[in-house]
Amino acid sequence: MTLLFLKLLLAHLVADFVIQPLKWIKDKEQKAFASTGLILHAAVHAVLYAIAFSFNPDYWLGFAILVVSHYLIDGFKCMAGRYADNYSRPESFINRRTFFVIDQLLHLVIIAFVVSLYFSGLSEWVIPQEKILALIIAVLLLTRVSSIIIKVLISRWAPLNVYDGDHSLANAGSFIGMLERLFIFVFILSGNWHGIGFLLAAKSVFRFGDLKEAHDRKLTEYILIGTLISFGLAIAVGLGYIGFIQ
């Protein structure tokens, strides 16, 4: 059961966060169910789910549930997002960030439900494969997935000049975040928790000069929120991975 769940989860993460072009996302947000991007996105999920099921026709019901539900959930999420943009206040709980979280939770619940349909038919546990898949999923969560989640969660507080390309390298902040989360993951796996404190202190030293010169309290708070969410996600993934492989 665990192996199938990890395969389906990996397929979902790759399709949703790694190989989904920004053009498809914008098309979905604008057209919802009428979007070509949504159809292509569902087709990518179909291919990856088929691979996860090893193209076994015995899993046709689970395959159909996953593909159709993903199409419907994403379509309704985009419709709800358009409603929030047009009628909801910026400070309201009803916004695209909320729908993003609900969307991902629903996908995970449906994956778990599909796996439960075949629980009795999966008696073999292939530990090495499970550990490899779990590690791949952990790395995806620490890199691309976490970057998107953090950006979605803190976008409402972003200062106007935070994405000013004249003062920083392109996508530097995103890559720095990915690297720091991977370092934290390695520190946790090796039992060197003090390394996390060292990393946080080093980042604070490098950031202190910029924040001091900027005299911008909002920018300071924005960076602090992003850093704490980043560290929290990395610690959660690290602990989750250790708990799984033990």
Side-chain angles (χ1 to χ4, degrees):
M1 180 181 71
T2 306
L3 181 57
L4 179 60
F5 178 80
L6 290 175
K7 286 182 177 180
L8 294 175
L9 178 58
L10 178 59
H12 168 74
L13 293 176
V14 171
D16 250 20
F17 295 96
V18 179
I19 58 176
Q20 181 177 199
L22 182 60
K23 180 174 64 175
W24 292 4
I25 297 175
K26 291 182 177 180
D27 190 58
K28 289 193 303 181
E29 291 176 348
Q30 294 174 359
K31 302 177 183 177
F33 285 109
S35 167
T36 303
L38 178 57
I39 297 174
L40 293 173
H41 180 59
V44 170
H45 274 274
V47 173
L48 294 181
Y49 285 143
I51 294 173
F53 283 128
S54 301
F55 298 97
N56 189 336
D58 293 338
Y59 294 115
W60 70 267
L61 178 60
F63 172 81
I65 291 174
L66 287 171
V67 175
V68 173
S69 67
H70 199 97
Y71 175 82
L72 293 175
I73 291 171
D74 274 25
F76 282 118
K77 180 195 71 172
C78 294
M79 290 179 64
R82 288 193 305 184
Y83 172 85
D85 291 342
N86 294 329
Y87 301 105
S88 179
R89 296 181 179 179
E91 67 275 9
S92 173
F93 177 76
I94 303 175
N95 53 55
R96 287 190 180 273
R97 289 176 293 277
T98 302
F99 296 134
F100 170 80
V101 174
I102 294 174
D103 166 83
Q104 293 302 316
L105 289 177
L106 286 175
H107 291 319
L108 293 178
V109 168
I110 291 175
I111 289 174
F113 169 73
V114 168
V115 171
S116 71
L117 294 177
Y118 305 102
F119 177 81
S120 59
L122 297 173
S123 58
E124 296 184 359
W125 290 62
V126 187
I127 302 299
Q129 291 186 42
E130 291 180 353
K131 289 184 177 181
I132 292 173
L133 282 173
L135 181 59
I136 294 174
I137 290 172
V139 172
L140 280 176
L141 289 171
L142 292 167
T143 52
R144 180 65 175 170
V145 176
S146 289
S147 295
I148 294 175
I149 290 174
I150 293 170
K151 186 174 181 179
V152 169
L153 292 178
I154 68 175
S155 60
R156 64 178 298 180
W157 298 300
L160 295 177
N161 62 342
V162 73
Y163 300 118
D164 191 347
D166 295 335
H167 301 287
S168 64
L169 299 175
N171 300 318
S174 179
F175 284 112
I176 291 172
M178 292 180 188
L179 289 174
E180 75 182 18
R181 289 189 292 276
L182 289 173
F183 278 128
I184 292 172
F185 185 67
V186 173
F187 288 147
I188 293 176
L189 292 186
S190 61
N192 294 311
W193 284 85
H194 58 275
I196 300 176
F198 174 79
L199 183 63
L200 182 59
K203 184 174 182 179
S204 300
V205 169
F206 284 113
R207 279 292 190 180
F208 179 75
D210 294 336
L211 296 176
K212 185 178 180 181
E213 293 177 3
H215 299 291
D216 191 337
R217 182 175 178 179
K218 290 183 179 180
L219 178 61
T220 303
E221 293 172 343
Y222 174 81
I223 293 175
L224 180 59
I225 292 172
T227 298
L228 292 177
I229 293 177
S230 179
F231 274 60
L233 288 172
I235 293 173
V237 172
L239 293 176
Y241 179 77
I242 290 177
F244 175 80
I245 64 175
Q246 287 180 344

